[in-house]
Amino acid sequence: MKETQILILNEALLLGRGHHKAVYRHPDDPGLCVKIPYEVPDYDLKRELRYRQIRNWRKLPYTLLTEYYGTVATNFGTGYVFERVLNYDGSPGVSLAEFLDDRNYRPDQERFVAGLLQELHHKELAEEIIISDTNPDNYYIQQRQPGIYCLRIIDNIGSPAFFPVVYVVPILARRHVEKFWKRFLREIRRKYPHVSLPFQG
């Protein structure tokens, strides 16, 4: 009988800790990360995986959301393997929060940020992206090619509703996107008053 191989994680691989889980770099693949929930069951992960199942059933695109690759046994318990946001050259992406909070942030970068956000809004509508929080820490800037950037969403994905009809009714999904888009802009303006955005919200 073949023994189940256990993935060994340690503090040197730790990428960060959130309210519900810790995230580690995959020791065998720098393009992956492993999320370890603090408590089981983790309703945040259950909500996200349910949402992803319905998206797969509806054959919706995934350009904004990071890919999910299933579970793995680790020395810290069951781990959930996701795509890690890396740039085309293999360097890690930077969170939108970190970028906007940088003391070196310059006014001439606002056109860049505005372009990223406009593309995000367009894709959220086109892909019917349902989120439950608008924390800028959950949005990562990724350089796909030299000079080509986009935002990716890494957490707080899906709806906490018991029966989220927004998953299957496109017009309700678009209303959800618009509501959270306005909330997202308000949060950016509140947290980063030095950033000027040419959007209403």
Side-chain angles (χ1 to χ4, degrees):
M1 183 176 178
K2 187 177 179 180
E3 293 185 5
T4 302
Q5 187 174 5
I6 295 180
L7 198 68
I8 303 300
L9 304 175
N10 55 52
E11 292 302 300
L13 298 171
L14 182 67
L15 296 173
R17 296 185 184 277
H19 295 299
H20 303 288
K21 49 193 169 291
V23 183
Y24 296 83
R25 177 171 55 83
H26 195 292
D28 301 326
D29 189 337
L32 301 176
C33 64
V34 183
K35 297 183 180 183
I36 307 290
Y38 300 143
E39 297 181 1
V40 178
D42 180 85
Y43 294 103
D44 183 58
L45 274 169
K46 284 184 66 175
R47 178 188 69 223
E48 178 176 343
L49 298 184
R50 179 188 180 199
Y51 174 53
R52 287 176 178 271
Q53 285 180 333
I54 294 175
R55 288 187 66 85
N56 291 338
W57 171 69
R58 294 188 59 204
K59 295 182 172 56
L60 292 173
Y62 265 97
T63 65
L64 285 180
L65 305 181
T66 51
E67 292 284 349
Y68 170 63
Y69 295 104
T71 59
V72 63
T74 81
N75 54 314
F76 294 145
T78 300
Y80 297 79
V81 183
F82 288 84
E83 172 193 0
R84 184 182 173 203
V85 179
L86 297 179
N87 299 319
Y88 76 97
D89 61 0
S91 61
V94 62
S95 75
L96 181 63
E98 185 178 353
F99 184 82
L100 296 179
D101 199 37
D102 190 337
R103 65 181 61 187
N104 297 317
Y105 182 85
R106 306 182 310 273
D108 61 352
Q109 292 174 308
E110 289 176 355
R111 181 177 295 181
F112 170 71
V113 172
L116 284 178
L117 294 178
Q118 282 180 319
E119 183 185 25
L120 172 73
H121 186 211
H122 173 76
K123 286 186 175 180
E124 283 181 328
L125 286 169
E127 299 180 14
E128 299 177 23
I129 301 297
I130 305 302
I131 58 174
S132 58
D133 190 88
T134 55
N135 189 337
D137 281 311
N138 295 326
Y139 297 79
Y140 268 65
I141 300 173
Q142 182 180 45
Q143 188 176 17
R144 291 288 185 88
Q145 300 174 32
I148 305 298
Y149 296 84
C150 65
L151 285 171
R152 306 291 302 284
I153 304 173
I154 66 166
D155 206 358
N156 285 317
I157 296 164
S159 168
F162 179 74
F163 183 71
V165 292
V166 290
Y167 289 0
V168 293
V169 181
I171 190 172
L172 296 182
R174 287 192 289 271
R175 288 177 184 172
H176 176 98
V177 168
E178 292 293 0
K179 180 176 74 172
F180 276 79
W181 165 249
K182 292 176 181 178
R183 189 179 297 178
F184 184 45
L185 294 182
R186 288 196 297 268
E187 185 152 0
I188 291 176
R189 290 191 175 103
R190 179 180 63 83
K191 288 186 173 180
Y192 313 102
H194 60 282
V195 177
S196 177
L197 296 178
F199 309 116
Q200 296 298 317

